[in-house]
Amino acid sequence: QVQLVESGGGLVQAGGSLRLSCAASGRTFTTYAMGWFRQAPGKEREFVAGISWIGGYTYYGDSVKGRFTISRDNAKNTVYLQMNSLKPEDTAVYYCAGGLRPPTVVPVDLNEYDSWGQGTQVTVSS
């Protein structure tokens, strides 16, 4: 497993932007597919975006397509989530996750991830 620590959350007005970062420790980060999930109060944890560990393949949840971008910098053991055009319904705790998967696979199910960060709060005001 890798240890994951998220940062970059906060309060932003609707239409604004935030960039979340997830710093990973462990020698195997470069072989982990990475993802972002979110969970709003009273709701289930929802897939937001994922990226493979080879080739930079990405996949997004329908609600964030065209607004959010996931990327990774293997030299820095960090994965990012750039969030633009934020909406109040994006308010949630955002979690970074990592999973050992085949090189070009982007897992979308939370059960495919075995490492999780502690989460960072994102609040979008209207």
Side-chain angles (χ1 to χ4, degrees):
Q1 292 187 341
V2 293
Q3 289 72 51
L4 305 172
V5 179
E6 304 97 332
S7 62
L11 174 64
V12 63
Q13 288 189 333
S17 299
L18 280 175
R19 188 176 81 156
L20 304 183
S21 299
C22 174
S25 60
R27 295 175 296 173
T28 58
F29 172 77
T30 54
T31 62
Y32 268 67
M34 299 299 296
W36 287 94
F37 288 76
R38 67 186 182 186
Q39 189 166 20
K43 294 189 177 181
E44 294 185 350
R45 195 166 294 192
E46 172 191 23
F47 173 79
V48 174
I51 187 166
S52 64
W53 62 270
I54 285 288
Y57 296 96
T58 58
Y59 194 79
Y60 296 92
D62 288 341
S63 61
V64 306
K65 282 180 182 176
R67 300 188 298 123
F68 290 11
T69 302
I70 187 171
S71 62
R72 65 189 296 161
D73 185 338
N74 286 341
K76 296 183 178 180
N77 276 15
T78 302
V79 63
Y80 304 97
L81 184 68
Q82 179 66 44
M83 305 186 294
N84 298 329
S85 302
L86 282 161
K87 305 175 181 180
E89 50 264 44
D90 294 318
T91 295
V93 177
Y94 283 70
Y95 297 91
C96 175
L100 279 172
R101 306 300 297 167
T104 59
V105 169
V106 182
V108 299
D109 190 303
L110 59 86
N111 292 315
E112 297 180 275
Y113 292 88
D114 53 60
S115 299
W116 292 85
Q118 82 290 348
T120 186
Q121 177 70 45
V122 172
T123 302
V124 184
S125 62
S126 57

